[in-house]
Amino acid sequence: AGGGAGGAIYLTSGTFDGAGLLSGIGGNGCNGGSLCGGGGGGGRISLNYTTLVTPCAAQFNALPGTNYFNTYVPAPGDRRTAWAGTLFFTDDTILSTNPAGLFGFLGFPALTSWAPASLTVSNAFLGLPDSFQLGVGSNLLVSGSNSVLVIGTNSQVTCAGALMVTNGGQVRVYSGPTNDVVGSYDTLVTVSGQAAIASNSWLYAYG
């Protein structure tokens, strides 16, 4: 049997602080073989505040449940694996150069770009919105078996330094349809320095 979806959390506060966990993880599917159901999709977490105390040590988890592979990250073309849910915040105060503890697709009102001096995705599933511009001022590192960076459709990512994916990390790039056969793109990733994908790590491109 498959797992259920993660449900929803809607939290409103004047000032938000803490180091605990808000969880909307989907239920696990069975892991007894290829005929078993997949995990449930991640839920929705919405945090609405007047002031967010930073640095914020709280964790927000809207990952899906695991499938029979015992993984929450979909294998390409595997219909039995669900996808992560959403994390919605009042503003982008939660973002930092090392946004550990965020597991889901991010949502911010009217935020279409982000330009951190550097970016390390470790112990995080960082799903960027579609039509988003990410400009990293130096190196972009994705490191760790539970570390995933997802780049949505119609987006542009520029990295002024090196792109390094290591220790089981993953970068997943999604692109929508284009009209031209040559010279056209929907999502563009530009790396000025070295692009290094370790042997136990992955960069997936989806059309």
Side-chain angles (χ1 to χ4, degrees), residues 23-129:
S23 177
I25 300 175
N28 294 336
C30 64
N31 59 0
S34 60
L35 297 180
C36 286
R44 290 172 170 81
I45 299 175
S46 179
L47 178 61
N48 303 269
Y49 48 80
T50 302
T51 302
L52 177 68
V53 177
T54 57
C56 181
Q59 296 191 36
F60 305 86
N61 195 326
L63 290 176
T66 60
N67 62 1
Y68 77 98
F69 290 119
N70 266 336
T71 177
Y72 62 78
V73 179
D78 185 359
R79 296 172 294 174
R80 294 161 293 193
T81 309
W83 214 195
T86 54
L87 307 176
F88 179 88
F89 300 95
T90 300
D91 54 35
D92 62 347
T93 306
I94 192 99
L95 293 177
S96 69
T97 57
N98 188 1
L102 298 178
F103 296 89
F105 285 93
L106 303 180
F108 306 96
L111 181 69
T112 59
S113 63
W114 180 30
S118 62
L119 180 58
T120 297
V121 180
S122 181
N123 190 35
F125 179 109
L126 204 63
L128 301 179

